[in-house]
Amino acid sequence: MREVLLRATAISKTFGGLIAVDNVSLELRRGEIHALIGTNGAGKSTLINVLTGELRGANGRVELDGQDISAWPQHRRARAGLGRSYQRTNIFPGFTVFENCRLAAQAGHQRPWSLAQAAGRCAVSGGAAQRALRLAGLEGHEHRLAGIMAHGQQRQLEIAMCLATAPRVLLLDEPLAGMGAEETVRMLELLQGLQADHAILLVEHDMDAVFRVSSQVTVMVDGKVLASAAPEAIRANPAVQQAYLGGAQ
Amino acid sequence: MRFRFARLPMAFALFALVALAALPWLATPYMVDLTTKIMIMAIFALSLELLVGGTGLVSFGHAAYFGVAAYAAALLAPKYDAASLPLLFAIAVLAAGAYALVVGALVLRTRGIYFIMVTLAFAQMAYYIFHDTKVGGGSDGVYLNIKPELTILGWKPFNLDNGLHFYFFTLVLLAAVFVFLTLLLRSRFGCALAGIRVNETRMRAAGFPTYSYKLAAFVLAGMLAGVAGFLFAAKDGFVNPELLSWHQSGAVLLMVILGGAGRLHGAVVGAFALTLLQEAFASEAIFGSFAKHWQLLLGATIILAVALLPEGLTGVADEIRAWRLRRRDAGQSAGATDA
């Protein structure tokens, strides 16, 4: 059995009377891409927001490396190695591509008191940003303004910013949304490359992609886990077919 | 570095420094006194620019820290003896910082319009404490009779009773605050504040404790406002509750906006522009008997300026550049250029 990096146990989150996430448990292991699929409103993004600490007041327990981080604020979880990307592109539009990544990388090397050194000269964050941009395939675009890039490139930047913080657990919320065919192939290759020393949760609607790269698939419906198994078993599961794959397969 | 802050026109700053240093030899004592007052307001505006332009926090109660420092200086100075300048300065600045810490810890839990309202509420609270209680002499205010002195082993390098000495003391502090903020905004701390201004959610997701960053900026801005408040008290030797009033908070916010938020030198330009406009409109030599309605003219001018120059006075250069680029692009796409 591979090493579990992130373990979520019995996570529930309600908004008023609405139960967005209902008693969900999952484990993310190093070396695995764990896909999370489900219809819109199934609670996938809410689950990510609970895991990262962006949403507070959820029930259940989140463990990173066996340590209970349920009470930790978001920034502390992020620095401990929990990285995320957003479903809707969430960047710094007025900054350059490089500065977007450098700023994200700076989180690991904050030193706010060192006023004499210009941030742009910070070799640690600059180097991390450059590596993340290369991985995400944005080399050569460093000096462009992030806000005027094409949508697909902004999605790549979204991933690059997540990688720049050097996380061990990646929670990726529909990273392929809005990407072209070529970019999709490239992104999947990147994820497979990262798989070796990261635990990856991949929320995705592109079923071909999901079944191609994932080693575990969890299906959510109405906030609950309907099934969680290897891709072949999920494809063959009649309940999943009826609820989500449309019964056509 | 590709930030607006870092592209700060050093030439402008150096020119302004030389001009201000030469001014006492070219101007009347009245002008020197007025410029001293403006430079104090420029330090005050710079402190607010750290919040408004640097962090995206629009505080409408920034006069409180200015006033608290001014009162601290006036109330804690010995009555019949000259206070130690470094000691009184430190006490005034720390008092402003302490109040900013208490207020900031609470108000930074709100955002947007609520933040504006709550900062105003805390400033009004401080205003009424000085206005309606005997702590600081009520609405009459208090006097700082003897100017603080700096003595190094019995030697006094300057005398703040001398208007010229006070002018240069203020100029040195203005330059120091400007350089400090320039470095700060370029540093990792400043870049993190810029990130918070643009996208706080992302900053938190990356691992920045954004609340602590904002609180640090808020306290720092309060302390720098305290530098200005201390200078104000030391200059005229008199403080009253109006220093903490919302008019004062509004005036300094106006300076930042008029000069152009997002640019440090904008705060300095704004302080000069607003004060000089006020002086000009209130001058009977220029406007005759209409000068008593100076507020009407000032108000109209500000409305015009904000409508015509959304980026402020220092944004004009950027806007002209952007306009030229657009015109060139339009010309090229229409095939109207010769090339």
Side-chain angles (χ1 to χ4, degrees), chain B:
Chain B
M1 277 300 296
R2 289 152 296 276
F3 274 128
R4 216 156 45 164
F5 290 125
R7 268 193 274 132
L8 161 114
M10 265 340 246
F12 165 88
L14 284 176
F15 172 77
L17 186 64
V18 170
L20 285 172
L23 183 99
W25 285 276
L26 306 168
T28 60
Y30 171 75
M31 291 284 287
V32 172
D33 187 71
L34 178 65
T35 311
T36 309
K37 205 172 87 186
I38 296 177
M39 289 194 298
I40 293 173
M41 291 311 283
I43 295 176
F44 188 22
L46 278 170
S47 75
L48 182 60
E49 164 61 18
L50 173 62
L51 292 182
V52 175
T55 323
L57 295 169
V58 180
S59 167
F60 195 22
H62 208 51
Y65 318 107
F66 181 86
V68 163
Y71 266 99
L75 291 172
L76 298 173
K79 253 194 167 43
Y80 305 108
D81 210 355
S84 151
L85 175 65
L87 186 66
L88 196 62
F89 179 85
I91 288 174
V93 169
L94 288 177
Y99 189 56
L101 179 65
V102 173
V103 174
L106 298 168
V107 299
L108 287 169
R109 296 177 189 282
T110 65
R111 49 202 67 224
I113 190 82
Y114 301 101
F115 180 81
I116 298 175
M117 288 297 117
V118 180
T119 49
L120 173 64
F122 273 100
Q124 287 302 93
M125 202 174 84
Y127 169 81
Y128 281 112
I129 286 173
F130 286 111
H131 190 272
D132 292 351
T133 69
K134 298 235 170 291
V135 180
S139 58
D140 294 337
V142 278
Y143 288 89
L144 172 63
N145 289 318
I146 304 164
K147 294 226 189 312
E149 280 179 355
L150 174 64
T151 315
I152 306 164
L153 304 172
W155 173 63
K156 289 176 191 161
F158 52 80
N159 177 6
L160 292 185
D161 269 325
N162 180 325
L164 203 58
H165 287 194
F166 201 100
Y167 177 89
F168 280 104
F169 181 64
T170 308
L171 178 57
V172 167
L173 280 179
L174 172 61
V177 168
F178 193 87
V179 169
F180 172 72
L181 285 177
T182 303
L183 289 175
L184 184 139
L185 290 173
R186 286 188 344 172
S187 75
R188 273 171 281 220
F189 179 59
C191 287
L193 295 182
I196 289 169
R197 176 181 45 136
V198 176
N199 190 342
E200 188 174 351
T201 312
R202 187 78 208 209
M203 290 298 280
R204 246 184 279 123
F208 289 93
T210 56
Y211 176 79
S212 310
Y213 270 87
K214 289 194 290 185
L215 186 57
F218 199 86
V219 171
L220 210 50
M223 290 171 76
L224 292 175
V227 171
F230 169 82
L231 284 171
F232 188 94
K235 178 176 177 295
D236 290 340
F238 171 65
V239 297
N240 69 15
E242 292 312 310
L243 298 184
L244 297 91
S245 72
W246 68 266
H247 300 96
Q248 184 85 342
S249 294
V252 70
L253 193 55
L254 215 50
M255 286 173 185
V256 169
I257 293 168
L258 188 65
R263 300 171 187 81
L264 269 189
H265 57 294
V268 180
V269 170
F272 272 86
L274 191 72
T275 318
L276 290 177
L277 276 177
Q278 198 173 324
E279 287 287 318
F281 289 143
S283 151
E284 290 196 11
I286 303 175
F287 287 96
S289 60
F290 195 68
K292 56 177 179 292
H293 304 299
W294 62 272
Q295 284 166 313
L296 199 64
L297 282 173
L298 186 65
T301 311
I302 287 164
I303 290 171
L304 262 180
V306 171
L308 296 176
L309 308 169
E311 294 274 301
L313 292 169
T314 57
V316 171
D318 287 354
E319 285 187 52
I320 290 174
R321 205 175 309 134
W323 175 75
R324 276 204 186 139
L325 277 175
R326 272 200 305 276
R327 205 177 56 155
R328 202 191 59 194
D329 290 350
Q332 276 171 354
S333 58
T337 48
D338 296 338

Side-chain angles (χ1 to χ4, degrees), chain A residues 54 74-75 78-79 86 90-92 95 98-99 103 106-107 109-110 112 114-115 117-120 122 158 161, chain B residues 1-3 180 183-184 186-189 191-192 194-195 197-199 201-209 213:
Chain A
E54 192 158 327
Q74 184 183 12
H75 60 86
R79 279 210 304 279
Y86 285 86
N90 195 352
I91 57 177
F92 305 100
F95 297 178
F98 180 78
E99 181 60 16
L103 196 51
Q106 185 186 310
H109 191 72
Q110 297 190 18
S114 108
L115 295 184
Q117 191 190 34
C122 168
E158 180 75 40
M161 287 167 75
Chain B
M1 277 300 296
R2 289 152 296 276
F3 274 128
F180 172 72
L183 289 175
L184 184 139
R186 286 188 344 172
S187 75
R188 273 171 281 220
F189 179 59
C191 287
R197 176 181 45 136
V198 176
N199 190 342
T201 312
R202 187 78 208 209
M203 290 298 280
R204 246 184 279 123
F208 289 93
Y213 270 87

